[in-house]
Amino acid sequence: MTIRLGFVYTIITPENKMLLEAARKRGIKAAKLSDAELLMDIGGRSGRQGEEYDVVLQRSSSLARSLYSTAYFENCGVQVVNSYAVQALCADKALTTMRLAHEGVPTPKTMLAFTPESAMKAIDGLGGYPVVMKPVIGSWARLLSKINDKEAAHTVIEHREELGSYLHKVYYVQEHVQKPGRDIRAFTVGEEVICAIYRNAKNGEWLTNTARGATASNCPVTSELREIVLKASKAVGGGILGVDLMESERGLLVHEVNHSTEFRNSVAPTGVDIAGKMIDYVVKMARK
Amino acid sequence: MADAECPDCAGAVKLKEGAEQGEIISCPDCGARLEIASVNPPKVQPAPKVEEDWGE
């Protein structure tokens, strides 16, 4: 029995192409919903667009479009993967860190502050340099700063104060974890850790995003990794997630959870049909 | 099948087998970032700009 799948997208990325292909292989003709063309009647009870679908898979590239269109479809009574609650939490690093810490998931030491003066005190609170400053909302290592000394801290904070968005004045400061030149991205689909990769930084780089030239290799899913990743997934509300971890002196630390994970470079090294597993999960959610 | 035309340089843009509407490709002549607007007939348009809130 097939399902009526709504597929929200901004562009057809390699991941989205793989997902649509996996759906086709399962006899599912997804309705491609370009977020640029969505017209959502939110003021009344007409326009119950969501009633056409058993489930919507949210793969918009834009956080704003993803959140609003997800809210719309959920309001129409249709299940969206991932849910609004999961997306809204995972999109915000501060809220994610707070939730992970609250649920006992090991995370790096992190402080939050709202002014230059308190941001400097927050840095002192981490026990010294280097530290890492991140925007609370942002992806692909955008505006990430490794701050090596007090002078650099003042410079980065001054730049943040001048940037347009009020969110840049929310200072999320984290200990710099000495990683072994890599970090880990684990993929969860519901209660299954389907695979994981090491993201190996380019020579001399501290950033491990593949958007910054890091390369992927298979990471075995050990019982320790599985346990911590599933705990993180449960903490944020579950779904289809990319959980990022660092190997530190005190063990694995979860530093981020991605709600619209990329996986184009992870299929080959892991040998796992990531898109297929994701679509199988979406089908399961449609039948709930 | 006819080729699409690059909106920037008017060069010919051949769509690969299995091309999907909404995919992002580059013009082979000028390198412009293009979105496949339609496969049949083949049509490309400038790709949407990557915005500050894009990501995973």
Side-chain angles (χ1 to χ4, degrees):
Chain A
M1 190 182 104
T2 190
I3 60 159
R4 300 170 302 165
L5 170 64
F7 190 97
V8 182
Y9 72 98
T10 309
I11 55 175
I12 299 299
T13 57
E15 286 80 9
N16 287 350
K17 189 160 181 165
M18 285 189 263
L19 287 164
L20 288 167
E21 187 50 44
R24 278 183 211 115
K25 280 189 180 146
R26 286 153 174 79
I28 300 164
K29 190 174 187 301
K32 284 169 69 175
L33 303 170
S34 163
D35 61 19
E37 291 166 18
L38 283 175
L39 288 174
M40 296 154 279
D41 180 359
I42 63 170
R45 290 185 67 79
S46 63
R48 305 282 296 178
Q49 195 175 0
E51 288 168 349
E52 298 168 36
Y53 310 111
D54 297 313
V55 66
V56 164
L57 178 54
Q58 178 59 261
R59 291 291 306 181
S60 176
S61 304
S62 155
L63 176 63
R65 295 181 188 186
S66 184
L67 287 175
Y68 282 115
S69 60
T70 298
Y72 168 75
F73 283 114
E74 285 186 352
N75 206 44
C76 289
V78 72
Q79 178 103 5
V80 182
V81 177
N82 286 319
S83 71
Y84 180 91
V86 169
Q87 290 182 48
L89 182 75
C90 294
D92 188 309
K93 290 186 185 60
L95 297 182
T96 302
T97 297
M98 282 191 251
R99 178 67 65 85
L100 293 173
H102 186 265
E103 298 300 316
V105 178
T107 55
K109 286 184 234 165
T110 310
M111 301 282 289
L112 199 66
F114 301 138
T115 66
E117 296 74 23
S118 55
M120 291 304 292
K121 287 181 184 162
I123 291 172
D124 289 339
L126 290 170
Y129 296 93
V131 296
V132 176
M133 192 176 286
K134 305 181 185 181
V136 285
I137 309 276
S139 190
W140 297 333
R142 224 179 268 119
L143 295 179
L144 245 67
S145 310
K146 179 167 168 266
I147 300 175
N148 292 327
D149 54 42
K150 201 166 183 171
E151 242 175 33
H154 279 300
T155 302
V156 171
I157 290 169
E158 184 190 324
H159 289 177
R160 286 287 198 86
E161 288 289 303
E162 293 300 314
L163 285 168
S165 163
Y166 66 94
L167 280 173
H168 288 304
K169 297 180 180 62
V170 177
Y171 295 101
Y172 176 99
V173 198
Q174 196 168 79
E175 63 168 317
H176 175 254
V177 175
Q178 200 57 42
K179 315 189 285 278
R182 67 187 187 192
D183 73 357
I184 298 170
R185 162 75 56 97
F187 298 92
T188 68
V189 170
E191 289 171 32
E192 191 188 346
V193 182
I194 61 172
C195 61
I197 54 164
Y198 289 118
R199 299 189 301 181
N200 305 288
K202 265 166 71 170
N203 259 343
E205 285 272 350
W206 70 280
L207 289 168
T208 48
N209 301 68
T210 52
R212 293 297 182 98
T215 55
S217 60
N218 186 54
C219 170
V221 180
T222 60
S223 54
E224 184 203 1
L225 180 66
R226 179 176 286 107
E227 189 187 326
I228 188 176
V229 168
L230 287 181
K231 199 170 180 181
S233 167
K234 190 174 176 200
V236 303
I240 296 175
L241 302 167
V243 180
D244 291 347
L245 308 97
M246 293 187 278
E247 299 154 282
S248 78
E249 287 166 350
R250 51 188 203 274
L252 292 171
L253 303 171
V254 178
H255 62 273
E256 197 170 329
V257 182
N258 298 277
H259 63 269
S260 188
T261 183
E262 292 172 342
F263 53 87
R264 70 190 72 170
N265 298 317
S266 305
V267 176
T270 62
V272 172
D273 178 13
I274 297 174
K277 293 239 177 210
M278 289 179 173
I279 293 296
D280 287 339
Y281 174 79
V282 172
V283 170
K284 205 166 80 172
M285 295 311 287
R287 294 191 172 140
K288 278 200 160 177
Chain B
M1 191 193 283
D3 294 338
E5 186 181 287
C6 174
D8 275 15
C9 73
V13 181
K14 197 175 205 60
L15 301 187
K16 283 182 187 166
E17 176 100 20
E20 179 97 43
Q21 179 262 329
E23 262 189 282
I24 305 300
I25 57 176
S26 294
C27 172
D29 285 346
C30 70
R33 205 166 144 267
L34 304 169
E35 178 183 3
I36 299 176
S38 101
V39 174
N40 199 4
K43 189 168 177 280
V44 292
Q45 62 195 16
K49 180 173 151 281
V50 177
E51 299 286 353
E52 191 187 353
D53 73 328
W54 280 34
E56 46 178 351

